[in-house]
Amino acid sequence: MIRRTILASFFVAVFSFAPIGHHLTADDAPLAGFSADSSRTERRWEEKFRATPDPAKLREYMQRLTAHPHNVGSPYDKDNAEWLLAKFKEFGLDAHIESFSVLFPTPKERLVELVAGGPRFTAKLQEPAVPQDPTSNQQSEQLPTYNAYSADGDVTGPLVYVNYGIPEDYETLDRHGLSVKGAIVIARYGHAWRGIKPKVAAEHGAIGCIIYSDPRDDGYSAGETFPNGGLRPREGVQRGSVQDSTEFMGDPLTPSIGATADAKRLPIKNAPTTTTIPVLPISYADATPLLSAITGPVVPEAWRGGLPITYRIGPGPAKVHLKMFSNWEMKPLYDVIAKIPGSQFPDEWVIRGNHHDAWVNGAEDPISGLVAVLEEARSLGELVKAGWKPKRTIIYCAWDGEEPGLLGSVEWLETHADELRSKTVAYVNSDTNDRGFLGVDGAHSLEKLANDVARDVQDPETKLSVWKRWQLRSITTANSDEARAELRSRTDLRIDISGGGSDHAGFQNFLGVAVLNYGFGGEDEGGIYHSIYDDFYWYTHFSDTDFAYGKSLAQVAGTTIMRLADADLLPFDFSDQAETVQTYVRGLQAFGVKQQNDVREHNLELEEGAFTASADPKEKYVPPAKQGIPPHMNFAPLQNSADALTRAAAEYQKALAHAEANGGAALASASLAEINRMLIDSERKLTNPEGLPGRSWYKHEIYAPGVYTGYEAKAIPAVREAMEQKQWRLAEQSIAAAAKVLSDEAAQVSAAAAKLAAL
Ligand SMILES: [Zn+2]
């Protein structure tokens, strides 16, 4: 489900640096959280591990797993799960399949036709097979193009083009005095998670929503199209879920509880995450006659796409008939769960996962990530046979049902929530993987660990370390002198917050587990996302064709898992976390000032008559309304708790340096077990059992996907979103709630520091 930014052009530096001149050996400085002795042992095992993943096997797994469409409920989805189970067992892991029953609608009736305003036209809604691509013709097994969890409906109305269909696009419509009330909107994919588009359209009174892939974004404007190149062909369509995950993720009928056979379910017709209006995705071939028939004002420059037409807003005279009905059926899920038991702390779990279901054949999404998971499991199995005994339990998961709404991971973790909250050390996710630069997002308490691991893995193209290439690339794309200076001087590269786009989301947002999400990318453009062309032929012609980066992903994620499973003292770091939280608090304050300044300027221009004077009097123009100046907010509780966390992190750092002195003899102490328990609980301290306002499923107070951004995450989300929605009282209350979890975190870190100092 994850969608990475497509980089149409980027700077491939011909690096003048020598390759990692220094190959890490067992004699290097001890790894964070390891005594000198245990670090030497760990490094030897890790080197053995990183030498094991084999690109030929990655290729072989991908060919097998993508041989047929394998969406939720399909025969090949089950077949793949059984094959994965057999593989994990063959590698020596203790594996089983855990099943759930979930609501997964599939199309029964789909229609888009232009009934007025232009030549009568019926959309094809069908992706054609490509002769040289051997799996593209498996039509009887392919899910038709649709958006899962669309409302059923048969509607006819004038067509309005709404650009990306995000809230600010509707403000532009307001300035033109245009409304979408009673209309069908057509929005292009991009700039927000797709489910936001029908949600915002319905909030503005639209009765239907069409989403199309504009060639400017991932078609011919960006590069050669498939099968000559990797970008989206004329009739390629992006499928995808539009389930409204504002309130919760997972199966729509079982919020917050596992979708087991005997679970108490909501009735299907009350499924709360279904959209309120019908929605269908189409290709740019199907969109062109519709968009061409729209008249009315010419769009602003930023709204133009790559079709050879004049983009206009409407409404009409193009009139569209849109019909969408689903079979609302229950389908089985097959999560494959495989364990390597811990030798010393079997009740401390390090979890790694990637989903196995796809929209169609799904080579890039998700199999490119899943094959790395499999090679990691095989390589770790080899280590176990050679005598390696991880201290903690390692759990490898191949999730089902990620595409419709993270169903497999969420139902599993809701079923085992209490046990997972108490036992989970961390969760490491991947989804898609391509060629290029390491991408990392996740919990800032694991930022240092991710950086340390990236320093120990070699980039296959440049032979620099993955970390060095990540740093240098970030320097070339940074947008300020300050950012570049920081990239050169800060010990660790910053990682982004994880959003809602893949299976880490339930761990982070529902359980409060520290997560990391890894994937390489940035060198190959792709326009096959969620289409029938995301298959083995495409991947082996236009992406990581020799699976060199599949091996890199296995090395990065597997090394992370080993370090978490073997460390004497868990490698959580609170300095990066505290410093990042400080930037969030300053960011909120700056945002408050900006909101006030923006409103002052807005009102001044209104008084000056600037809006009307600069509008064309021959065209309709509606000036915006005067706005109230946002009040000053009291950020002191957040500042104080963030400062407390900064002090606690410094105490922890000092205690850690003390414990690591003299070869880290203190790290052999038996009392470390108690400190590790405190570290495991530390991320949970950032959660509020009542959840975010209006979104009780989302319990993490510092990270959450945005209500109006979807994939994209927000920091201190309750405060940020209340401010964005101008709900000042709620913002003040949310400041108190976020300050409380930061104070709790500070107390936890401080207590762990005191115990560590006393060793
Ligand atoms: Zn995916």
Side-chain angles (χ1 to χ4, degrees), residues 1-2 354-355 357 364-366 402-403 430-432 501-502 529-530:
M1 192 178 197
I2 272 216
N354 194 107
H355 69 100
D357 70 301
E364 183 200 44
D365 182 5
E402 189 270 358
E403 292 297 354
S430 58
D431 195 328
T432 64
S502 192
Y529 179 60
H530 292 182

Side-chain angles (χ1 to χ4, degrees), residues 534-606:
D534 178 4
D535 59 15
F536 187 72
Y537 180 88
W538 178 88
Y539 197 84
T540 53
H541 285 77
F542 300 109
S543 185
D544 182 24
T545 54
D546 59 1
F547 293 84
Y549 281 93
K551 178 172 174 173
S552 305
L553 176 60
Q555 291 172 322
V556 168
T559 301
T560 306
I561 293 295
M562 288 181 73
R563 238 168 247 189
L564 286 163
D566 282 341
D568 299 313
L569 179 69
L570 285 168
F572 285 90
D573 172 85
F574 303 99
S575 302
D576 283 350
Q577 183 192 54
E579 191 248 2
T580 306
V581 164
Q582 292 282 3
T583 67
Y584 294 158
V585 173
R586 286 198 299 274
L588 286 174
Q589 291 175 278
F591 180 60
V593 171
K594 184 177 184 308
Q595 279 189 307
Q596 293 176 331
N597 289 342
D598 286 353
V599 170
R600 276 192 204 101
E601 174 65 23
H602 172 93
N603 290 349
L604 185 60
E605 288 182 23
L606 208 57

Side-chain angles (χ1 to χ4, degrees), residues 110-127:
R110 301 170 306 145
L111 176 73
V112 173
E113 55 180 354
L114 184 66
V115 294
R120 197 171 175 106
F121 166 78
T122 304
K124 267 197 190 151
L125 309 178
Q126 174 67 51
E127 300 178 291

